[in-house]
Amino acid sequence: MIYLDNSASTFIKPKEVIKAVNDSLLYFSANPGRSGHKASIKSAMKVEEIREQVANHFNTPTSQNVIFTNNCTNALNIAILGNVKEGGHILCTENEHNSVLRPLEHLKQLGLIEYSIAYQQNPHGITLDDIKKELRHNTYMVICNHISNVNGSICDIDAIGNYCKNNNLIFLVDGAQSCGHFKIDIQKSNIDFLTIAGHKGFYAPQSIGCLIMNDKYKPNPITFGGTGTNSLELIQPESFPEKLESGTISTPLIMGLGAGIDFVEKNFNEIRNKLDDLTTYLNFELEKIGIKCYTEPENSFGVIAFNIGDLDSGEVASILNEKYDICVRGGYHCAPIKHKALGTLSQGAVRVSISYFNTFSEIQRLIYAVKQIKKHLK
């Protein structure tokens, strides 16, 4: 099997991640911080060690600003719903996933906010000018998907973050597709909230994400429950991270995330270079055989979207799976506005997403399969 659906979830995990999860089940299975015995304290200390690791990786001022979540969607919901300002306006971009669009639409339907969408004028991605065109007098938050999960379009988060800081706008960055592939410094880029999906660029298990906060804004909780602190009180604690971490957090997944971050930090240049090489090669070869590609040739971030003639993207993905044992994703990738902008609402797009563990020969086999599908289409 050739697995090229890494934007949905990485399939091959580093041995270090597998070992960390296994070790957690053997040695760290006590509920972290929920009891005073040594097994619980041992688990809690391991969790805090990894919280500190995440804080250092993204340069947040304190590890208390790292909130472990079930996934990136959960983190985005906390940032959006936990900072809602009634009567305000939120600006997002054409690249947003439904994990942003649906919370915004929910708030709009409740009559709490309005939101609008910035479309990119530059084929490479969203710029500050695209954002500034859509701002209103009551805009209080700007949300940017750093790297589009559909075609790899990039957002200029440095310029936008600096503008948001100078104009007192909350800046939320969805880093689901970029974290692990980019070095992100939330203080340098003036990011107020960064969300990550551990099972993608960090090769961690599924169902572990983070909300990483800078110091200026702190959201209200959207989930309430036990935190292991202030148990006699019926109100949520005010201290972070407890305020936003109700219920038992997953030590095995957190340890897997920590190992994944270690792996990425040790191999960062190799990962970037390999993604660059394989993405550029695939894009070039698809263009050579006349395939409609929606990813710019200069884009080397590991995500390429294309279509073969008028074939439905889901049908192409099914042929690649059944006949050639190649896993890609067809359809709309939970990003309807992006497909509207690309003009692909009628057929979706075939998305290839590459990881460090893919090989040159696998990409060659994909190109061969695409050639055969196109040949039979004629």
Side-chain angles (χ1 to χ4, degrees):
M1 180 185 73
I2 297 174
Y3 187 86
L4 292 166
D5 192 22
N6 294 281
S7 285
S9 189
T10 49
F11 185 77
I12 298 176
K13 306 297 185 183
K15 63 182 184 299
E16 296 90 340
V17 170
I18 296 170
K19 182 180 184 302
V21 174
N22 187 57
D23 284 350
S24 75
L25 297 174
L26 290 172
Y27 309 117
F28 297 93
S29 285
N31 200 321
R34 291 301 198 267
S35 302
H37 54 70
K38 60 185 179 182
S40 176
I41 294 170
K42 180 182 177 181
S43 294
M45 289 178 66
K46 176 57 71 172
V47 167
E48 293 313 305
E49 175 187 318
I50 297 165
R51 198 188 301 275
E52 188 72 33
Q53 179 187 12
V54 175
N56 290 336
H57 185 84
F58 292 103
N59 192 32
T60 188
T62 170
S63 63
Q64 293 178 335
N65 289 353
V66 175
I67 310 300
F68 291 119
T69 62
N70 296 332
N71 43 50
C72 192
T73 295
N74 184 204
L76 286 163
N77 272 259
I78 294 171
I80 294 168
L81 302 178
N83 285 290
V84 65
K85 292 186 179 180
E86 188 170 355
H89 171 258
I90 294 177
L91 176 61
C92 67
T93 77
E94 68 173 56
N95 294 322
E96 306 312 319
H97 189 273
N98 275 338
S99 50
V100 167
L101 296 172
R102 287 179 174 174
L104 294 182
E105 185 64 25
H106 171 70
L107 293 175
K108 179 181 177 181
Q109 293 294 329
L110 291 176
L112 295 175
I113 67 158
E114 292 291 330
Y115 73 93
S116 55
I117 296 165
Y119 289 88
Q120 62 186 60
Q121 305 305 310
N122 182 321
H124 302 294
I126 293 288
T127 67
L128 176 58
D129 286 340
D130 298 327
I131 296 297
K132 289 169 72 173
K133 287 177 184 177
E134 302 297 332
L135 292 173
R136 301 180 185 176
H137 73 280
N138 59 337
T139 303
Y140 69 91
M141 177 181 284
V142 174
I143 305 174
C144 289
N145 186 317
H146 189 191
I147 297 291
S148 165
N149 72 306
V150 177
N151 73 337
S153 292
I154 189 167
C155 175
D156 187 355
I157 59 173
D158 287 343
I160 297 169
N162 185 62
Y163 181 86
C164 288
K165 177 185 177 183
N166 292 333
N167 290 272
N168 294 314
L169 299 170
I170 301 173
F171 187 36
L172 166 59
V173 174
D174 177 356
Q177 297 299 331
S178 62
C179 290
H181 303 155
F182 285 80
K183 293 181 179 178
I184 301 175
D185 183 323
I186 71 165
Q187 294 191 71
K188 181 180 178 182
S189 297
N190 297 297
I191 298 170
D192 295 303
F193 298 101
L194 174 69
T195 64
I196 73 168
H199 64 112
K200 299 184 181 185
F202 287 125
Y203 301 94
Q206 295 166 4
S207 295
I208 181 64
C210 287
L211 173 65
I212 301 156
M213 308 184 294
N214 221 326
D215 269 342
K216 190 171 182 180
Y217 303 99
K218 296 292 170 65
N220 291 312
I222 62 172
T223 303
F224 300 82
T227 60
T229 58
N230 301 25
S231 293
L232 291 176
E233 297 181 8
L234 299 182
I235 58 173
Q236 200 76 356
E238 288 297 321
S239 59
F240 292 91
E242 293 85 1
K243 186 172 184 177
L244 301 177
E245 284 184 355
S246 292
T248 300
I249 55 178
S250 177
T251 306
L253 304 186
I254 291 169
M255 288 181 62
L257 174 61
I261 293 174
D262 272 339
F263 175 81
V264 167
E265 290 180 343
K266 291 173 182 175
N267 299 281
F268 184 80
N269 289 334
E270 290 181 43
I271 292 170
R272 282 299 304 268
N273 290 338
K274 193 167 190 182
L275 288 181
D276 190 330
D277 290 344
L278 294 182
T279 309
T280 301
Y281 173 67
L282 176 57
N283 205 324
F284 178 73
E285 291 297 318
L286 290 175
E287 183 182 8
K288 272 175 57 177
I289 60 177
I291 296 298
K292 174 64 175 175
C293 191
Y294 304 101
T295 301
E296 288 296 303
E298 297 84 358
N299 187 308
S300 59
F301 307 137
V303 181
I304 287 186
F306 66 90
N307 275 314
I308 303 175
D310 294 328
L311 278 178
D312 181 79
S313 62
E315 183 179 353
V316 174
S318 180
I319 294 170
L320 287 171
N321 179 46
E322 295 172 8
K323 188 172 183 179
Y324 298 97
D325 204 18
I326 298 174
C327 302
V328 299
R329 183 172 173 184
Y332 300 99
H333 317 96
C334 299
I337 306 301
K338 185 61 177 178
H339 281 279
K340 177 182 177 182
L342 292 174
T344 53
L345 288 177
S346 62
Q347 64 182 138
V350 180
R351 183 188 70 189
V352 174
S353 46
I354 301 167
S355 95
Y356 173 69
F357 293 101
N358 288 121
T359 65
F360 183 74
S361 63
E362 289 178 332
I363 301 302
Q364 286 183 311
R365 288 171 64 184
L366 170 67
I367 294 164
Y368 171 80
V370 170
K371 286 180 179 178
Q372 293 305 304
I373 296 171
K374 185 184 179 190
K375 179 181 177 181
H376 289 297
L377 178 61
K378 287 184 178 180

